Amino acid sequence: MHVLIETLIIGAGTFLIRAISLSWGSRVIWPAWGQKWLSFVTPAVLGALLGPLLFLPDNHLVPIVHNTTLLAAIPTAIVGWFTRHLFWTVAAGVACFAIVTHLIW
Amino acid sequence: MNNRRLIAKGIRDAVPIILAYFPIAMTFGVISTGNGIPWLVTILISVWVYAGGAQFMLVSLALAGSSVISTVATVLLVNLRHFLYGTSLGPAFIHWSEPKKWLSAFGLTDEVFVVASNRYLQEPPFPRYHLAFVFACYGSWLAGTLVGASIGQTVPAAVSQILGFALPALFLALLLSSKRSGAHIAAAIFGAILAVAAHLLQLGNVGLVVGAVIGATLGLICQNFVESCKQTNL
């Protein structure tokens, strides 16, 4: 059962990342470039996750007018930009996706 | 303030996160069991991993048949940002005992960090307040997962397909609610281009790791470049 093994390792790893950094947070001084580089990892990972999801919905390029995911992502991004709110962005996104899917099919 | 009131205040301050977590966790439960991951494993993922984006990612990579090593490496790389949360919140917990630090670290999610970092650097938290705050959020996440996982297989396919958009929406929300300087947006765009290119070249999930590491490095280079331009102008 792959999922179970993955869950156990990822859970332990995530906890160690959180706990070690918090425990050492006040005692160890990190090099400035390391902190700076880490602050770019999150957007880069999120971009790398979003790219294929938005542009290759069925693992190949789809014309924009038929790409429901990409079409729904545009208003979702606008809501995210202005609200900066996790819940409202996801809610608006799912609503937009429902509307776009309904219109195209 | 007495202990009871500290706990009550912690729970009260958690309300916005509780409200946001419940439906997202429910969506996670629906998608996970709806796609054939056992109920108990779905619950275990929320109990043990407790990180929204990572859980969705874990499920979608597992269902796509990605190998154990690449799934684990990808998700942990994504969660590496938590290192930043711990190191920047660390000073607020300097007087806490080690076990209390480790206990509170378990609940250090994106949203908890954002809320806590705005509050604690002026006024370090009492352990009871902070633990009540953190575990109230955790409770909401577990309750949402429980409800979603229990109804997952009865939800019509069309509805669970629409709920599947919660994943890209969550990634967009996380991207747009954190740092968004030109260089950070550039890192995201580089990451996206590299991952799409890797997919088109049939490199699979290698693209994610390459996109993350090279994208982050290019973002940092952009920022350094902009800063050095500013300095030469002065």
Side-chain angles (χ1 to χ4, degrees):
Chain A
M1 189 75 196
H2 284 181
V3 194
L4 195 57
I5 298 167
E6 287 159 0
T7 302
L8 294 175
I9 303 175
I10 289 168
T14 304
F15 176 58
L16 286 177
I17 293 170
R18 289 172 177 168
I20 291 172
S21 61
L22 188 70
S23 171
W24 290 357
S26 46
R27 284 179 275 157
V28 181
I29 295 163
W30 307 96
W33 65 265
Q35 292 259 13
K36 227 170 153 187
W37 186 78
L38 271 177
S39 84
F40 286 97
V41 172
T42 306
V45 170
L46 290 169
L49 285 163
L50 279 164
L53 279 174
L54 299 185
F55 295 99
L56 313 167
D58 299 308
N59 272 323
H60 56 83
L61 279 168
V62 174
I64 290 176
V65 284
H66 295 294
N67 187 342
T68 46
T69 316
L70 185 58
L71 288 176
I74 297 165
T76 308
I78 295 171
V79 173
W81 182 270
F82 287 105
T83 65
R84 282 192 169 216
H85 199 293
L86 200 71
F87 174 66
W88 291 117
T89 310
V90 174
V94 172
C96 291
F97 187 67
I99 294 166
V100 171
T101 314
H102 184 73
L103 285 180
I104 285 183
W105 285 345
Chain B
M1 240 190 284
N2 65 35
N3 291 335
R4 238 233 213 97
R5 285 182 55 192
L6 279 174
I7 292 171
K9 189 172 186 306
I11 294 170
R12 208 166 49 238
D13 288 354
V15 167
I17 299 181
I18 290 173
L19 289 178
Y21 272 8
F22 192 87
I24 296 175
M26 202 173 113
T27 305
F28 168 75
V30 167
I31 289 174
S32 182
T33 53
N35 282 297
I37 292 186
W39 186 87
L40 204 60
V41 176
T42 302
I43 305 296
L44 181 73
I45 295 174
S46 275
V47 169
W48 182 232
V49 179
Y50 185 39
Q55 294 184 200
F56 280 98
M57 223 175 289
L58 164 60
V59 165
S60 67
L61 289 172
L63 293 171
S66 165
S67 75
V68 172
I69 291 176
S70 76
T71 303
V72 168
T74 304
V75 179
L76 285 181
L77 198 66
V78 172
N79 280 352
L80 207 59
R81 69 181 183 283
H82 292 277
F83 201 81
L84 204 67
Y85 301 168
T87 51
S88 62
L89 273 187
F93 296 83
I94 194 164
H95 299 300
W96 287 33
S97 68
E98 215 48 32
K100 276 185 189 146
K101 277 189 204 166
W102 284 64
L103 190 61
S104 67
F106 178 77
L108 192 56
T109 61
D110 298 292
E111 296 75 22
V112 167
F113 168 73
V114 173
V115 173
S117 65
N118 287 331
R119 216 177 269 159
Y120 293 172
L121 297 177
Q122 296 105 12
E123 196 188 337
F126 291 99
R128 273 172 214 276
Y129 167 83
H130 180 72
L131 292 174
F133 173 73
V134 160
F135 285 98
C137 300
Y138 185 51
S140 166
W141 187 257
L142 295 186
T145 310
L146 208 61
V147 172
S150 305
I151 62 169
Q153 281 167 321
T154 62
V155 170
V159 174
S160 85
Q161 197 234 341
I162 284 169
L163 285 177
F165 189 77
L167 178 64
L170 185 67
F171 293 156
L172 276 171
L174 284 173
L175 180 65
L176 296 172
S177 65
S178 54
K179 285 191 179 173
R180 50 188 199 193
S181 71
H184 286 92
I185 300 291
I189 293 170
F190 286 131
I193 293 170
L194 289 162
V196 168
H199 263 265
L200 292 175
L201 295 169
Q202 310 284 335
L203 293 172
N205 282 309
V206 175
L208 197 54
V209 180
V210 170
V213 173
I214 300 180
T217 309
L218 291 175
L220 181 60
I221 292 171
C222 278
Q223 199 188 45
N224 287 342
F225 180 72
V226 171
E227 277 171 7
S228 70
C229 283
K230 275 183 191 159
Q231 276 173 352
T232 49
N233 282 345
L234 293 169

